[in-house]
Amino acid sequence: MAETKLPGSTDSQDHRLDLILRGLERVDTADAELIKDVLHEKVHPDIFWGVAPTGRPHIGYLVPFVKIAELVEAGVEVKILLADLYAFLVNYRHSRSLVASRREYYRFALTAVFETISGLPASTIAFHQETSFSVSPDFINDVYELLSYTSLGEARSPNEELATTTMLSPLVVPIVQALDERYMDCDFQLGGLDQAGYYVYGDKYLPKIGHKKRHAHIMNKMLPGLTGTKMSASNPKSKIDLLDPPEIVYQKIMEAHCDSSTANDNPILALLKIILVPIGRLRLEQSARAGSNAKKTIPFVEPNAPEGCVFSIMSGRESYHYKSYEAIEHDFLAGKLSSGTLKAAVADAMNQILAPIRKSYEDNSQWQDVLKIAYPESERDVSNASPETQNASENFCIPTVLREVSNERVKLIPFNPALHTAEFIKRVQDSPEVWTHGPVGPFESAENFDTDFIDKIVRPKTDMLLYAVIDRCKPPTLADKDGALAGLIAYLGTSPANLCTEIGFVVTLPQFQRTHVTSNAVGLLLKLALDSPNEGGLGFRRVQWMTSSVNHPSIKTAEKMGFTKEGVIRWDRLYPGGANTGKESNGKPLDVDGKVGHMNGRDLGRDSVMFSMCWDDWYLSGMREHVNERMAR
């Protein structure tokens, strides 16, 4: 009777070999020859990938699963080894019971990863448990045999962690990993390039204990960390957890290192090269293959993309469609794609990949329960901390105002960098003109925005409260469940003693300008400040509005809302280096007949127009009704 073939298997040996070997970091000639021989001998050769359940899985684990999906397409039977003994020995501080819980967490997480990337059911692959054979007398005897052959230097040689450990148990892991190959008894073994030292050890010593059959080793690329170092579960800033919420994914990617002068050590390009483009190519191949059992999924392309494209990137109003990673890299290094544009496209695609994984977790109570045991709260990524603890204006002098202020059209919520920064910077990346008349900006990245504005200006000030402006007339977004992030607005110079404040840092994103957003955001802050306490307000006596004398849209907004012009404050502000950052000055020269040579010629000066609205305007001159009417338009 003919042997049943796996989904995607093919009679073309060259095609199968290409699927097995493509995208690998390194393939030794001897390993490639072994694989060719096995493909001639077997319809369904088998392979195993071992993983130690230590820290929480992150997106680095997507890399081997791209290769695993390609192996399945090539008709290879794939086995996942959950190396729980290895994990216990290398992380000796953790109990066996904790490692067992982490093993189960990995089983749930990696099942979801496989189904997401391959589009196939988890039954296509098989999970094995290292402790199912490591407790056998034969395995233990083999450990003793290998101990007798292994010097201390050889035990330390596979990687730097073993070279510096002061504990004995980690030095046993090269022996355990070598024996995994013997007891799994597969045709091939898949690992990362960081496993090369272990393979060298196994190839040398397994024959000494009677294991004559050499297995082929293939090694996938290693994904660099977002900070330019190795992606590590122990470094929250370097990695994206598989369960990170969408806004955290956006923020981490928008803050990631992305040097446009080189493709080397660029984590954003690496995500495209190692994960996203290969997944797009795999999905395209699956969708084109007649009779495929894989779930029909759409690559990361727009509906109007030409046939054969695997990735689309939108820059402003123009879309670029790509059939290869090399084309994306070329356009990025040539300046056709900005780092902000590239990051936004990568963040969108990465969230598309992670969404079904998060959904699997949300639908699986067993997975949720084991998370609580496997990774106690003290070890969780700080990025998953409660958003309430990350309020940028938590030091504001009136704590009772640190809350939502809203009507049916617009919501103001205290700005939370974890929820709002990445989305905000993404939206203003191609509109630097929003910073033309203000004392800050433009910002190169979300990280710069948080460091130079939130941490240096907003957080230290007790008189400043920064709000995110949410347009509730738009569908829910990653930034807020009630609508779309439309801009910023703030209280400045707030003095409870003098019952006064200022409305400033009014930044309405371009797509929300000339709509209801600005009038409602300003109106909500006027009502909160000037309404009496028994009406839910603060009962302030004065709200002021200061803007550049050449910021005509801001002046027009103040006039429309009913503010009274009090005058012009000449040379009120200095924009240091403003000539280099797109600022617009008062138009007056700093150097007149050489008499002000001490001034920096790149600095710009600003005249400020002062407006105000006071309690008597509010209650006695009809401004309260006027503002309500403007908000209703």
Side-chain angles (χ1 to χ4, degrees):
M1 186 171 69
E3 186 175 3
T4 303
K5 295 185 177 182
L6 287 173
S9 64
T10 173
D11 293 325
S12 169
Q13 300 302 319
D14 290 340
H15 180 61
R16 296 178 72 194
L17 186 64
D18 175 68
L19 283 170
I20 293 171
L21 300 183
R22 76 181 183 188
L24 295 175
E25 182 68 20
R26 188 178 74 196
V27 181
D28 292 336
T29 302
D31 288 319
E33 290 301 320
L34 281 172
I35 294 170
K36 286 182 182 179
D37 292 342
V38 172
L39 288 176
H40 283 292
E41 295 171 5
K42 293 185 176 181
V43 176
H44 298 304
D46 54 3
I47 191 170
F48 85 93
W49 173 67
V51 58
T54 52
R56 278 177 61 167
H58 48 70
I59 60 171
Y61 287 78
L62 300 177
V63 179
F65 274 89
V66 171
K67 175 49 58 184
I68 286 169
E70 291 173 338
L71 289 165
V72 171
E73 287 288 304
V76 177
E77 293 182 353
V78 177
K79 300 173 183 178
I80 309 295
L81 175 65
L82 299 172
D84 45 359
L85 174 60
Y86 181 112
F88 172 66
L89 292 172
V90 79
N91 275 356
Y92 45 82
R93 291 180 297 271
H94 300 308
S95 67
R96 298 291 288 270
S97 61
L98 180 64
V99 172
S101 296
R102 291 184 172 184
R103 179 188 66 218
E104 296 312 304
Y105 182 88
Y106 269 60
R107 192 189 303 271
F108 286 124
L110 299 182
T111 295
V113 170
F114 174 76
E115 291 180 338
T116 297
I117 291 180
S118 70
L120 296 167
S123 58
T124 309
I125 57 174
F127 283 93
H128 294 257
Q129 187 173 312
E130 192 175 49
T131 48
S132 67
F133 54 75
S134 64
V135 296
S136 69
D138 287 343
F139 186 95
I140 294 171
N141 185 66
D142 284 342
V143 170
Y144 295 155
E145 290 272 351
L146 288 176
L147 281 170
S148 72
Y149 288 110
T150 306
S151 70
L152 184 60
E154 288 169 320
R156 291 184 179 279
S157 63
N159 63 37
E160 292 182 4
E161 293 180 8
L162 298 182
T164 58
T165 184
T166 60
M167 298 298 290
L168 179 59
S169 65
L171 298 179
V172 184
V173 298
I175 293 174
V176 171
Q177 180 162 332
L179 291 175
D180 286 342
E181 181 173 306
R182 177 172 187 174
Y183 284 82
M184 289 298 290
D185 195 27
C186 292
D187 298 301
F188 320 140
Q189 183 176 351
L190 170 65
L193 191 61
D194 59 343
Q195 301 297 300
Y198 291 99
Y199 297 150
V200 170
Y201 172 87
D203 287 345
K204 180 178 180 179
Y205 286 108
L206 284 177
K208 293 182 181 294
I209 62 171
H211 185 59
K212 301 299 184 183
K213 177 184 177 183
R214 183 181 183 275
H215 295 170
H217 303 124
I218 57 176
M219 288 171 275
N220 54 248
K221 294 180 171 69
M222 300 297 294
L223 190 67
L226 299 178
T227 55
T229 58
K230 178 183 177 182
M231 185 167 289
S232 169
S234 62
N235 182 359
K237 292 185 177 181
S238 77
K239 57 108 178 182
I240 294 173
D241 189 273
L242 294 177
L243 301 181
D244 271 345
E247 62 272 11
I248 295 297
V249 175
Y250 268 109
Q251 182 177 13
K252 287 185 175 181
I253 289 178
M254 296 305 286
E255 292 177 353
H257 171 73
C258 188
D259 186 353
S260 61
S261 65
T262 176
N264 298 325
D265 300 319
N266 188 316
I268 302 302
L269 288 177
L271 285 171
L272 281 160
K273 183 177 184 179
I274 304 175
I275 296 178
L276 296 174
V277 169
I279 291 176
R281 178 174 54 186
L282 184 67
R283 290 181 171 183
L284 189 67
E285 291 169 350
Q286 289 175 332
S287 65
R289 191 177 66 250
S292 170
N293 292 328
K295 189 183 300 181
K296 291 297 189 293
T297 50
I298 302 172
F300 313 113
V301 297
E302 296 177 3
N304 62 339
E307 185 177 350
C309 290
V310 294
F311 206 86
S312 294
I313 298 176
M314 177 170 285
S315 178
R317 297 182 179 180
E318 189 170 0
S319 294
Y320 299 95
H321 308 293
Y322 297 96
K323 295 184 179 181
S324 69
Y325 161 77
E326 288 74 19
I328 300 175
E329 179 186 299
H330 175 273
D331 281 1
F332 175 65
L333 297 181
K336 190 174 181 179
L337 300 171
S338 69
S339 60
T341 296
L342 193 70
K343 287 179 179 181
V346 168
D348 286 337
M350 191 56 63
N351 268 324
Q352 183 180 335
I353 286 293
L354 295 179
I357 299 173
R358 288 189 291 260
K359 182 66 164 55
S360 294
Y361 170 77
E362 292 164 2
D363 293 342
N364 190 330
S365 59
Q366 289 181 302
W367 188 358
Q368 296 166 25
D369 289 342
V370 80
L371 171 60
K372 298 172 185 176
I373 302 171
Y375 300 97
E377 192 68 35
S378 61
E379 295 190 341
R380 303 272 183 91
D381 184 347
V382 295
S383 300
N384 293 327
S386 172
E388 288 76 15
T389 66
Q390 300 177 4
N391 186 342
S393 302
E394 57 191 355
N395 297 317
F396 188 59
C397 56
I398 310 175
T400 57
V401 185
L402 293 172
R403 56 180 172 82
E404 175 186 319
V405 184
S406 62
N407 58 21
E408 68 280 0
R409 304 173 82 185
V410 166
K411 178 173 83 171
L412 309 182
I413 192 77
F415 190 90
N416 182 330
L419 298 177
H420 302 129
T421 293
E423 183 72 9
F424 177 73
I425 293 299
K426 174 186 175 184
R427 299 301 176 193
V428 299
Q429 204 77 41
D430 296 323
S431 303
E433 67 275 6
V434 301
W435 308 110
T436 298
H437 300 290
V440 300
F443 300 97
E444 294 180 358
S445 66
E447 183 177 10
N448 293 139
F449 180 83
D450 281 346
T451 301
D452 298 339
F453 181 51
I454 298 298
D455 293 340
K456 291 182 180 179
I457 296 177
V458 180
R459 289 193 190 280
K461 290 183 178 293
T462 60
D463 62 358
M464 181 176 180
L465 171 51
L466 180 67
Y467 289 98
V469 181
I470 307 298
D471 184 357
R472 302 182 77 174
C473 298
K474 300 294 184 182
T477 61
L478 296 172
D480 195 277
K481 61 181 176 58
D482 287 338
L485 181 63
L488 307 177
I489 197 168
Y491 279 142
L492 310 171
T494 306
S495 172
N498 294 314
L499 298 179
C500 65
T501 191
E502 177 182 335
I503 295 176
F505 283 107
V506 182
V507 178
T508 302
L509 298 176
Q511 57 267 47
F512 296 94
Q513 293 173 5
R514 292 176 293 280
T515 69
H516 60 277
V517 168
T518 303
S519 60
N520 277 263
V522 174
L524 285 168
L525 289 192
L526 283 171
K527 289 172 64 64
L528 177 60
L530 294 172
D531 275 355
S532 65
N534 60 10
E535 294 170 314
L538 296 173
F540 276 16
R541 300 297 175 87
R542 173 185 172 88
V543 177
Q544 65 186 35
W545 178 288
M546 289 180 64
T547 189
S548 168
S549 60
V550 293
N551 189 352
H552 303 296
S554 180
I555 293 172
K556 189 174 182 179
T557 296
E559 292 171 342
K560 284 184 176 180
M561 295 304 295
F563 283 85
T564 297
K565 181 178 178 180
E566 295 185 341
V568 177
I569 306 173
R570 298 181 299 157
W571 295 102
D572 174 55
R573 301 284 174 89
L574 181 69
Y575 295 146
N580 299 324
T581 56
K583 302 298 182 184
E584 190 169 343
S585 74
N586 55 15
K588 302 173 184 177
L590 284 172
D591 191 341
V592 181
D593 296 330
K595 294 182 179 180
V596 285
H598 64 282
M599 294 188 181
N600 187 335
R602 307 308 295 169
D603 295 345
L604 298 179
R606 168 182 139 174
D607 294 349
S608 295
V609 185
M610 173 68 78
F611 292 88
S612 69
M613 187 175 295
C614 300
W615 74 274
D616 43 352
D617 303 321
W618 190 248
Y619 282 111
L620 303 181
S621 300
M623 284 300 104
R624 190 171 192 264
E625 291 74 20
H626 172 76
V627 168
N628 285 332
E629 188 273 330
R630 293 295 310 183
M631 294 170 70
R633 290 187 181 183

